[in-house]
Amino acid sequence: EAGVAQSPRYKIIEKRQSVAFWCNPISGHATLYWYQQILGQGPKLLIQFQNNGVVDDSQLPKDRFSAERLKGVDSTLKIQPAKLEDSAVYLCASSLSPGTGTFYEQYFGPGTRLTVT
Amino acid sequence: QKEVEQNSGPLSVPEGAIASLNCTYSDRVSQSFFWYRQYSGKSPELIMSIYSNGDKEDGRFTAQLNKASQYVSLLIRDSQPSDSATYLCAVGKSSGDKLTFGTGTRLAVRP
C-alpha cells in the first residue's frame, strides 16, 4: 500500500515570496492533516480536513496560510507571503474516518523542508 | 504547563539494555496515545498506539498507559544502535482528532 505522498521535498524561498506544498493521502483515508514542525519541536497541527471540509484550522495563521482539499483527496497548503519564522518541515498525515468507539492512527508523509531566507 | 511533556534527553543506554521513555499529559479527557519514532531528517513513523489502561506489547516495544496518573511510557527491550532516534509522544482526545505532540526524547544506544 502506497504511503502519504508529498512534494516538493525541499524548497528555498526568500521572505515575502509565496510557496505551495502538495499532499496525496493514503488511498481511502478521508481525514487529512497538515502539521508544521520547527526544528527541536514536535509537530503542530495547522489544519485538519474531513473529506473536503475543514474540521480544525484554529492554529492556521490565516493572514498568510491557506489550504484546500478539493474533491476530498489531494490537498494543497500555501504560504503567501512567507516570513523567516515559517522555516520548518511541513508534514502531511492521513487517517481513516473517525468512527464511534473506533480509533484510527495517523500516518505521515516524508515532509517538505522549507527554508525562508 | 505543557499539554504533553517529555524529557528531551538525550537518554543514553548500552546496546542490549532496556530503554524507558516517559510522557505525561495534562488533558484528562485524552483517549488515544501514540509513540512515533523520528530519525534525523525524516518524518515521524508510528511505532505504537494504546487506548486503554495497562500494557501493550509489540515485538521489542511495550507501551504502558495509566490514565489516572496521566502517564504513558514506552519500553524498548534489547535496545539496538538502530533504535537511536527521537521518540515523540502524541495524545488525542478522540478518534480522528488532532494530535498534540511532545517535544520528543532523543535516545542514543551505545554499541
Side-chain angles (χ1 to χ4, degrees):
Chain A
E1 180 183 78
V4 177
Q6 290 188 248
S7 67
R9 294 294 309 277
Y10 306 91
K11 192 73 176 179
I12 301 174
I13 61 172
E14 295 182 353
K15 60 183 179 184
R16 292 188 288 275
Q17 287 187 325
S18 63
V19 64
F21 313 125
W22 173 83
C23 172
N24 182 251
I26 293 173
S27 178
H29 281 195
T31 308
L32 185 147
Y33 314 79
W34 283 102
Y35 288 87
Q36 179 194 59
Q37 186 175 25
I38 293 172
L39 188 64
Q41 299 181 18
K44 182 187 81 172
L45 181 76
L46 293 175
I47 189 167
Q48 176 183 348
F49 291 95
Q50 176 73 22
N51 295 307
N52 58 355
V54 175
V55 174
D56 185 343
D57 64 356
S58 58
Q59 298 191 87
L60 186 74
K62 298 180 184 65
D63 58 335
R64 298 184 301 107
F65 286 64
S66 64
E68 61 182 10
R69 190 182 184 199
L70 301 176
K71 300 181 181 178
V73 181
D74 293 7
S75 178
T76 302
L77 176 70
K78 297 180 181 178
I79 308 175
Q80 181 178 13
K83 292 184 175 181
L84 295 176
E85 58 261 36
D86 298 332
S87 294
V89 175
Y90 290 84
L91 296 162
C92 180
S94 71
S95 70
L96 289 166
S97 299
T100 303
T102 304
F103 294 96
Y104 293 120
E105 299 156 344
Q106 294 183 28
Y107 296 92
F108 284 86
T112 297
R113 184 175 298 275
L114 174 67
T115 302
V116 182
T117 64
Chain B
Q1 181 186 13
K2 291 181 180 179
E3 291 186 63
V4 180
E5 294 206 55
Q6 297 181 254
N7 187 321
S8 62
L11 173 66
S12 181
V13 300
E15 184 174 355
I18 296 175
S20 177
L21 305 164
N22 304 314
C23 172
T24 58
Y25 59 95
S26 61
D27 193 336
R28 286 192 171 276
V29 303
S30 299
Q31 296 186 48
S32 55
F33 307 87
F34 306 89
W35 284 99
Y36 285 84
R37 178 175 62 198
Q38 188 170 29
Y39 292 113
S40 180
K42 301 295 185 182
S43 63
E45 173 192 7
L46 180 66
I47 54 173
M48 288 292 286
S49 59
I50 187 165
Y51 308 109
S52 55
N53 281 329
D55 294 0
K56 179 182 178 182
E57 185 175 318
D58 184 0
R60 296 187 297 112
F61 299 100
T62 299
Q64 299 174 318
L65 175 62
N66 184 327
K67 290 185 178 179
S69 300
Q70 295 175 236
Y71 177 92
V72 58
S73 65
L74 179 70
L75 300 178
I76 306 175
R77 290 181 299 280
D78 188 23
S79 295
Q80 301 298 308
S82 58
D83 295 326
S84 297
T86 295
Y87 289 79
L88 297 164
C89 173
V91 176
K93 292 181 184 177
S94 63
S95 176
D97 190 26
K98 67 177 182 181
L99 296 181
T100 300
F101 284 81
T103 55
T105 298
R106 189 156 56 92
L107 172 66
V109 181
R110 309 186 301 272

